[in-house]
Amino acid sequence: MDMTTPTEELHQQLNSWKEEVNDVRTEVKMMRERLEQIALSKASRDVMTKVEHFENRLLRQREVADEMYHDLKQCAKKVSNAPVTAVHDDRPIDDYDTMQHRMEIFQKLYISLKEEFNGFMPCEV
């Protein structure tokens, strides 16, 4: 019989999302390393334009992942009724439902970026 409380289930989900966000950060780092290899080669101007495009998108993806990780930690504190430190921007962390919605968007956008990136890489490496 599973004896987890609703609060424990929320924490488990939040921890799962934090792991997923960390995985994204790791993958983004690997993608940036692959782009760096192309940037150091004598690729065409068109390829270099695409490399710059992906460098910018991956940089932003890393920033978003960092924000998500921070906000997931803050949401976990809120769920456990621990004091939440002040947030100096307008990213909502007040409730689990909001974080769930943000995580769904994060996942969709990352999958799209990864598919676009993978479509570019096999042709160039």
Side-chain angles (χ1 to χ4, degrees), residues 19-71:
E19 289 175 22
E20 184 176 345
V21 169
N22 270 334
D23 290 345
V24 167
R25 291 197 276 192
T26 300
E27 289 180 16
V28 165
K29 181 180 179 187
M30 290 187 309
M31 286 186 239
R32 291 184 74 199
E33 290 169 357
R34 291 175 70 192
L35 284 177
E36 195 173 299
Q37 293 172 352
I38 294 173
L40 294 173
S41 71
K42 295 183 182 197
S44 70
R45 173 171 270 183
D46 184 49
V47 169
M48 293 307 289
T49 300
K50 290 177 184 176
V51 166
E52 185 176 353
H53 163 77
F54 281 111
E55 285 176 339
N56 292 334
R57 290 205 46 206
L58 292 171
L59 178 63
R60 182 61 187 135
Q61 183 66 45
R62 172 62 194 237
E63 291 170 352
V64 171
D66 290 346
E67 292 167 1
M68 281 298 299
Y69 189 84
H70 174 267
D71 293 351

Side-chain angles (χ1 to χ4, degrees), residues 60-111:
R60 182 61 187 135
Q61 183 66 45
R62 172 62 194 237
E63 291 170 352
V64 171
D66 290 346
E67 292 167 1
M68 281 298 299
Y69 189 84
H70 174 267
D71 293 351
L72 287 165
K73 285 181 10 182
Q74 294 299 314
C75 186
K77 287 180 186 179
K78 178 114 176 145
V79 166
S80 65
N81 296 322
V84 177
T85 58
V87 176
H88 300 289
D89 57 31
D90 60 356
R91 295 189 319 262
I93 60 164
D94 291 352
D95 61 58
Y96 175 83
D97 291 335
T98 301
M99 289 307 300
Q100 182 177 21
H101 178 70
R102 287 182 57 206
M103 192 65 193
E104 289 169 2
I105 293 169
F106 175 82
Q107 292 164 332
K108 286 177 187 175
L109 292 174
Y110 179 66
I111 288 169

